[in-house]
Amino acid sequence: MTSSVPEPESPNPIYTNQSVATAIGSVYMANGVIGLANSAPGQPPAQRASGPVPYTMISAARERYAPPRAHADALAAVRDERVVVLYGPQGVGKRTGALNLLLDADPGLPLVMLLPDQTLEELATGTYDSGTGYLVFGWSGEDAASDGGDVSLGGLLKRIQTAKAYLVITSERPLSGPQSPVIPHIGWTRPPVEDVLQVYGTPPGDLAPGVLEAHTLADVVQYARNLAEGLSPAESLSGLDLAQRRDVEQWFDGDPTPREILEAAALCFLDGLPERTFESWFAALADAVIPPPETPQEGAPPAAFAQTRRRPKDSLIHVRKLAADAGDAIPGQTRRCVLFKKEGYRAHVLSELYDRLPADFWTPLFGWLHEIVKQPDPHACLQTAHGLALLARDDFDSVRESFLQPWSADERDWRGWTAATLVLWSMCFEEELAPLARQTAIRWSRSRKPHRKRAATLAFSGAVGALYPADTLRHLWRLTEDGMTSESASSAIILLYFTLSNADGDGHLVVLEDLLQRVGDPPGRGSPRLLRTLSVLIGVLSAGEEGAPPLAVRHLRSRPQDVPVFARLWAASMINRPSRTAVFDTLYDVLNALGRIDPVPEDLLRDLLRNLAQALPAREHEPFKRDFERHITRRKNGEDATRLFVTLLRSIFSSEDG
């Protein structure tokens, strides 16, 4: 996989609003912000991890669900007690089971995810809505085993039952002692392989009995999907995570040379780079880890021929021609790039290196990674961040102390804190690391170091915000009131809307509803807080890629049910006269872009203006119609696309006033 992040020649081109471009600072990864927020090597797009459960997550959990043996007992406990804890190791399907339990208990139940790092006391004192199902995925059981833990569990149970809500918690271990007597605990195991294959309608074929028993549920499901798509059992098995881990273990057990091990280590942080770039960085690492002898050895090959492009057949690495994605690339141009033969090898090679090699191997390698980040090569920095996130699964302490902390506070070079942010984003694609990424960003946001605060705003604008949008907005609005980060935090909210709009689900609506609440209940006309809110709102409504229609146009076309939210936002912001012209600009740009679509979505235009008329107070109808028509006259420059919405504007507001 190669990165889609080009090296920019100018400031952030994502937004037409130049204030947004400059506020993020010289973030040379700007073009890759959205791509990284939605994809990482071998990982699915980031899904929201707090707030309302996305429909896509529900659909994936319900489709072809094979209930484990414990499902029936857990469902009875949910119906009787309304609270249940599913505990068991990773990879047995607790998350999917929790979603299915709640929807089996009540098919129409709205589902909400709670933050996983809350203490038991916080959960026990939370607010719960009647007829709602709540989930806490991967809870650590913070303070549950302390004195009084059972009392707090009892308080949580009573709170949920009083509210007539439901709560399912997933954890790797029971919350209080071997098994809490207060809340039902259900040991969760993976469903039988045969049941998973059956729901996919795929017989096991000639697979030896028991060969899949050691695999995770995700592996078993992938195997069933592979069979359903027509792959042979052998082909289906070779692509599984456990099979790839065994490939890596066998390679290490096969006594590879130190140079081969070092090349695999380098590729963990530079996967997919052009061959020339990789070989240059590999040579630098080899010199640091295996210094050349002071005097040339007799019969040794010249240094220029020390590295060969031909690798043994059993190598984990190969070279493939991939499409060149540099800014000056000719269409159809390809480049030889160095990659692992399978994407899953990367994580397993890092784990084996961590388990097998001594500490003195990592010291020069860490120094080498610092040098990569100092260079203006976004591809290399992006892949380094991915590698460090994978290393954090085995040793987060070292990644934090050696890279995240010093980089995020780097006052000499902005590349440091942008690289630290990229590591946090990459961590968000690892289920067990995502909460650590969020907590790290929160700590940075409270730092006294300005660069670390800026790193926090950028982290919140990308993958961290995509996972935890509502919580992220709370922290970003706090940062808008800080003199060091006010502008960058405001811009990060706009960038978060952009990020969420490019992700699956309806996360971008979280930003709009948050703005609607803030602008609908302002702290006082003309107050600095209101002006900041209006500035962010205008930025969100006008955000878009350079040369493209505003992002709001795509949002409205893909989710016309959100028209009332947009209408209320425009109405609330128009009432505030200081921002009226800028708000008119955003409305004109959206209407004009909709009017240029062929065929014109006339129903959408009419619905938008009708909702706007309903959202505006009656006393504002005539001033709005008069002033906006004048604004159109100044802006349209003879464009035919404006005629339709002018006609609709007059018709709808006249009928509303009548």
Side-chain angles (χ1 to χ4, degrees):
M1 173 178 174
T2 55
S3 163
S4 60
V5 184
E7 186 172 353
E9 298 175 355
S10 58
N12 183 349
I14 286 181
Y15 299 109
T16 54
N17 185 337
Q18 186 60 29
S19 67
V20 176
T22 55
I24 293 293
S26 18
V27 181
Y28 77 123
M29 294 293 183
N31 278 335
V33 166
I34 306 306
L36 182 58
N38 295 307
S39 64
Q43 297 294 331
Q47 294 196 73
R48 191 161 65 236
S50 66
V53 178
Y55 171 78
T56 52
M57 184 184 295
I58 294 174
S59 177
R62 297 290 274 178
E63 183 184 19
R64 302 179 190 268
Y65 175 61
R69 298 292 184 257
H71 183 89
D73 290 341
L75 181 58
V78 168
R79 287 172 171 163
D80 292 342
E81 301 294 334
R82 292 184 174 267
V83 180
V84 68
V85 175
L86 309 182
Y87 69 92
Q90 289 188 12
V92 296
K94 297 189 297 295
R95 179 189 298 257
T96 302
L99 289 166
N100 277 279
L101 283 172
L102 289 175
L103 292 175
D104 284 351
D106 185 344
L109 204 63
L111 303 180
V112 176
M113 295 175 288
L114 303 178
L115 290 170
D117 51 10
Q118 295 185 80
T119 65
L120 178 57
E121 182 179 355
E122 289 170 336
L123 284 174
T125 56
T127 300
Y128 301 95
D129 295 330
S130 176
T132 301
Y134 294 92
L135 302 117
V136 182
F137 293 133
W139 191 48
S140 63
E142 189 69 29
D143 76 349
S146 62
D147 292 341
D150 279 350
V151 174
S152 295
L153 284 171
L156 173 61
L157 178 65
K158 183 177 180 181
R159 201 168 188 85
I160 293 293
Q161 291 177 339
T162 301
K164 296 183 179 180
Y166 296 91
L167 173 64
V168 177
I169 298 172
T170 72
S171 179
E172 290 192 37
R173 56 184 175 79
L175 301 188
S176 181
Q179 185 165 329
S180 171
V182 180
I183 290 178
H185 280 59
I186 307 292
W188 206 252
T189 57
R190 192 194 63 191
V193 172
E194 296 77 13
D195 291 0
V196 177
L197 294 176
Q198 184 176 3
V199 298
Y200 277 87
T202 55
D206 56 0
L207 194 66
V211 72
L212 286 174
E213 291 304 322
H215 289 255
T216 63
L217 178 58
D219 259 5
V220 176
V221 169
Q222 186 60 54
Y223 178 79
R225 286 175 177 164
N226 291 344
L227 289 178
E229 292 172 2
L231 297 180
S232 69
E235 291 173 319
S236 299
L237 191 64
S238 67
L240 304 185
D241 184 70
L242 181 57
Q244 293 177 10
R245 190 180 81 193
R246 287 169 175 162
D247 289 346
V248 171
E249 290 173 347
Q250 290 173 5
W251 183 80
F252 273 94
D253 291 339
D255 199 24
T257 67
R259 196 169 193 88
E260 288 173 331
I261 292 176
L262 196 61
E263 185 181 47
L267 196 60
C268 287
F269 301 96
L270 299 174
D271 189 43
L273 260 65
E275 189 176 31
R276 286 187 178 183
T277 304
F278 175 78
E279 288 181 352
S280 174
W281 279 115
F282 172 71
L285 179 60
D287 287 344
V289 178
I290 313 174
E294 296 182 4
T295 57
Q297 297 178 359
E298 185 176 351
F305 297 99
Q307 170 73 353
T308 177
R309 291 181 174 178
R310 179 172 294 179
R311 294 170 178 84
K313 289 184 179 180
D314 64 348
S315 175
L316 303 175
I317 298 168
H318 67 167
V319 175
R320 285 176 52 200
K321 287 187 176 181
L322 300 177
D325 57 3
D328 60 349
I330 298 172
Q333 179 181 347
T334 61
R335 285 183 176 152
R336 287 170 56 92
C337 296
V338 187
L339 304 95
F340 283 111
K341 288 180 179 177
K342 296 179 180 177
E343 287 184 349
Y345 285 169
R346 189 178 187 179
H348 295 307
V349 167
L350 263 175
S351 291
E352 290 298 313
L353 289 169
Y354 183 78
D355 289 341
R356 295 173 184 252
L357 297 182
D360 57 6
F361 166 81
W362 296 97
T363 301
L365 188 142
F366 280 11
W368 173 74
L369 293 176
H370 283 288
E371 291 302 316
I372 292 176
V373 170
K374 291 179 183 178
Q375 304 304 314
D377 184 345
H379 292 73
C381 187
L382 184 61
Q383 293 303 322
T384 296
H386 285 322
L388 286 171
L390 293 174
L391 180 61
R393 299 196 306 184
D394 293 299
D395 190 359
F396 176 68
D397 285 347
S398 291
V399 172
R400 180 176 182 270
E401 294 171 8
S402 299
F403 301 101
L404 293 177
Q405 290 299 93
W407 282 354
S408 63
D410 192 349
E411 298 180 1
R412 298 166 298 173
D413 192 344
W414 50 266
R415 292 186 181 92
W417 57 268
T418 52
T421 300
L422 289 173
V423 177
L424 292 196
W425 285 350
S426 296
M427 287 170 59
C428 289
F429 298 93
E430 304 293 328
E431 185 176 335
E432 68 271 28
L433 294 178
L436 289 174
R438 170 181 168 269
Q439 285 292 345
T440 300
I442 292 173
R443 288 198 177 191
W444 287 355
S445 73
R446 294 169 177 163
S447 172
R448 295 182 180 180
K449 297 181 180 295
H451 285 74
R452 189 165 283 162
K453 280 180 175 287
R454 293 191 186 98
T457 63
L458 188 58
F460 286 137
S461 73
V464 175
L467 284 176
Y468 309 101
D471 184 64
T472 286
L473 286 168
R474 181 169 60 86
H475 294 292
L476 283 175
W477 283 113
R478 171 175 55 82
L479 288 168
T480 63
E481 300 182 4
D482 186 316
M484 287 191 291
T485 55
S486 178
E487 190 175 359
S488 61
S490 297
S491 299
I493 296 172
I494 302 169
L495 190 54
L496 176 61
Y497 176 71
F498 201 105
T499 299
L500 292 168
S501 297
N502 284 273
D504 290 338
D506 58 354
H508 46 335
L509 186 60
V510 176
V511 178
L512 299 185
E513 291 177 336
D514 179 86
L515 282 166
L516 185 60
Q517 179 182 357
R518 292 174 184 276
V519 79
D521 185 21
R525 190 178 298 272
S527 71
R529 182 179 298 179
L530 175 60
L531 294 177
R532 280 194 300 270
T533 302
L534 290 171
S535 176
V536 171
L537 172 56
I538 292 167
V540 166
L541 292 175
S542 61
E545 296 180 41
E546 188 174 15
L551 193 59
V553 173
R554 192 175 76 194
H555 186 154
L556 286 165
R557 294 198 71 194
S558 63
R559 289 183 55 85
Q561 64 268 37
D562 293 344
V563 162
V565 178
F566 277 95
R568 291 198 297 272
L569 281 170
W570 268 305
S573 52
M574 283 175 193
I575 295 172
N576 293 280
R577 294 297 191 272
S579 61
R580 196 175 179 87
T581 300
V583 175
F584 279 178
D585 277 332
T586 67
L587 180 59
Y588 176 90
D589 289 340
V590 168
L591 292 173
N592 192 39
L594 289 171
R596 289 174 173 273
I597 296 171
D598 187 20
V600 176
E602 187 172 335
D603 289 345
L604 182 58
L605 281 166
R606 183 179 287 106
D607 193 30
L608 181 59
L609 289 171
R610 184 181 294 115
N611 274 274
L612 180 58
Q614 293 171 353
L616 278 170
R619 67 179 184 278
E620 294 286 343
H621 282 198
E622 186 57 35
F624 165 70
K625 186 172 65 171
R626 180 190 66 240
D627 294 345
F628 190 50
E629 284 198 41
R630 290 175 181 171
H631 189 83
I632 292 170
T633 302
R634 291 196 300 270
R635 287 284 313 270
K636 70 178 183 178
N637 296 321
E639 295 174 348
D640 292 336
T642 62
R643 294 178 182 175
L644 175 61
F645 67 76
V646 168
T647 302
L648 291 173
L649 175 72
R650 293 173 178 173
S651 171
I652 289 171
F653 273 80
S654 296
S655 63
E656 288 288 332
D657 293 340

